[in-house]
Amino acid sequence: MLRGRHLIEPMDFTTEELEEVFELADRIIERPEEYSNLCEGKLLATLFYEPSTRTRLSFEAAMIRLGGKVIGFSEAGSSSTAKGESIADTIRTIGCYSDIAVMRHPKEGAPKVASLYSTIPVINAGDGGHQHPTQTLTDLLTIRSIKGSLSDLTIGLCGDLKFGRTVHSLIKAMSRYKNITFQLISPKELKIPEYIKKEVLEKNNIKFTEVERLEDAIGSLNILYMTRVQKERFFNEEDYVRLKDSYILDQEKMTMAKEDMIILHPLPRVNEISLEVDQDPRAFYFKQTKFGMYVRMALIAKLLGVDK
Ligand code: NCD
């Protein structure tokens, strides 16, 4: 039963519960008009303390397409946080006005804290360099739709594996499916955090390799998940400048990839995928964005308990 639950990190839902969300998303994609009044009379609050385009607007679009309404703020400076209000008090207030809340925050754990004080479901829309579970729902629905399954895949994760929260959440979520192999492609300075290696990959006996060159891994992949170097999480500009263009996926590199490899990216893209790659039939990042809206529609309906 997903009604009334929070989604703070990917493991909060069992794989069966995830499948329930995906099946509803499939039905919505097929007949969106049948779901256009599902959330009538309901209000979603978007509490965004960090920049966002896709996550916030896809949540808002999702709620509006379900017939619900949206309130919120898109920067901390325009909320009472600027006056020193705590997360706990903010969420208690939001619970008086709305039925469900989505929070993005630069501090790891902030949405978790909110959920402890909340009377309404809280969805983590990204907390610092930690987790981003609804991007993972998006990624899984995309993979499941295009590849037909979430098992038997070799997945290359490329770029900023240290600060990239989408990568951390995706690894956690994929660790529960059968026969998954990861190729972790990053510069030394941006390797996957030790806790993910020890507590997720090694603990679950998941095959993984760490490599520095994209060329050394690309040929073996079913999925290439590109990521942006997370500028806002660096302690100094110099390191960012040195590392920002570590990987640039172009058509030349794509000639080394399998014919049916798919390229995903949570977006925003900076330089890591050349524009020429957008024309390649293996580029799925904009389709992925669309899946993101549908999966959020399904998630909202499930947490509100209004799904048919
Ligand atoms: C990601 C994020 O915010 O972590 N963006 C998104 O939500 N699609 C990835 C990123 O910012 O690089």
Side-chain angles (χ1 to χ4, degrees):
M1 178 82 159
L2 288 171
R3 180 184 190 148
R5 299 257 296 273
H6 306 294
L7 176 59
I8 305 302
E9 69 130 310
M11 307 303 250
D12 288 347
F13 291 1
T14 63
T15 50
E16 290 77 20
E17 287 167 340
L18 288 178
E19 192 51 34
E20 251 187 73
V21 175
F22 299 146
E23 281 170 13
L24 178 57
D26 286 344
R27 294 199 294 278
I28 297 173
I29 290 170
E30 216 157 285
R31 295 187 209 286
E33 65 289 349
E34 282 183 15
Y35 298 85
S36 60
N37 298 315
L38 206 57
C39 287
E40 214 176 283
K42 302 283 186 195
L43 201 53
L44 169 97
T46 52
L47 318 176
F48 276 62
Y49 297 82
E50 252 195 358
S52 170
T53 300
R54 272 149 294 271
T55 306
R56 185 169 64 84
L57 296 183
S58 68
F59 264 112
E60 297 192 358
M63 189 55 164
I64 292 166
R65 284 175 184 273
L66 291 168
K69 291 202 163 67
V70 178
I71 55 170
F73 53 82
S74 53
E75 46 184 297
S78 64
S79 75
S80 278
T81 307
K83 302 182 193 168
E85 186 172 54
S86 69
I87 292 278
D89 286 0
T90 302
I91 198 70
R92 279 190 280 222
T93 305
I94 300 301
C96 300
Y97 308 148
S98 59
D99 302 290
I100 184 165
V102 182
M103 177 183 283
R104 168 169 289 189
H105 203 285
K107 284 216 180 84
E108 285 84 359
K112 172 78 189 168
V113 171
S115 72
L116 299 175
Y117 293 91
S118 182
T119 52
I120 57 172
V122 174
I123 300 170
N124 176 9
D127 60 326
H130 190 218
Q131 300 287 330
H132 192 347
T134 67
Q135 181 62 47
T136 299
L137 295 186
T138 303
D139 302 339
L140 298 192
L141 180 65
T142 309
I143 295 169
R144 180 181 167 281
S145 303
I146 294 160
K147 289 284 175 198
S149 161
L150 290 166
S151 304
D152 306 310
L153 295 166
T154 299
I155 305 173
L157 301 166
C158 179
D160 188 345
L161 309 188
K162 179 178 181 189
F163 298 116
R165 56 194 175 194
T166 64
V167 165
H168 305 161
S169 287
L170 185 58
I171 291 179
K172 276 194 157 184
M174 291 304 300
S175 71
R176 297 187 293 190
Y177 295 94
K178 277 198 282 309
N179 194 22
I180 298 297
T181 304
F182 287 109
Q183 295 268 13
L184 304 173
I185 309 153
S186 76
K188 277 195 197 69
E189 295 91 330
L190 299 177
K191 277 164 86 164
I192 200 82
E194 278 302 305
Y195 82 92
I196 303 259
K197 226 194 274 185
K198 296 253 151 29
E199 291 162 34
V200 185
L201 294 167
E202 287 171 5
K203 196 168 158 193
N204 294 299
N205 287 319
I206 298 169
K207 287 169 270 167
F208 70 95
T209 327
E210 294 184 281
V211 295
E212 274 184 60
R213 281 165 35 96
L214 177 54
E215 294 85 332
D216 294 342
I218 195 166
S220 68
L221 307 178
N222 304 115
I223 296 166
L224 172 57
Y225 193 94
M226 294 296 294
T227 63
R228 163 182 80 88
V229 176
Q230 306 280 299
K231 182 178 185 191
E232 65 276 36
R233 316 255 178 253
F234 277 70
F235 296 110
N236 69 69
E237 175 86 15
E238 244 168 75
D239 286 347
Y240 171 69
V241 170
R242 184 165 47 81
L243 294 167
K244 71 183 171 66
D245 291 325
S246 299
Y247 302 100
I248 298 179
L249 179 66
D250 54 17
Q251 272 313 107
E252 196 188 319
K253 291 199 189 75
M254 283 304 291
T255 60
M256 295 180 243
K258 288 188 204 288
E259 281 294 298
D260 64 348
M261 184 193 83
I262 63 169
I263 312 164
L264 301 181
H265 190 311
L267 303 178
R269 143 175 68 183
V270 185
N271 274 332
E272 57 281 354
I273 303 180
S274 299
L275 298 183
E276 64 190 19
V277 177
D278 296 357
Q279 313 308 322
D280 192 301
R282 294 168 287 185
F284 276 91
Y285 27 94
F286 290 110
K287 292 203 178 94
Q288 181 184 4
T289 298
K290 195 153 188 184
F291 280 119
M293 181 185 71
Y294 289 119
V295 89
R296 288 178 175 108
M297 289 173 80
L299 176 67
I300 293 168
K302 285 284 175 191
L303 298 185
L304 288 176
V306 295
D307 58 308
K308 290 178 194 164

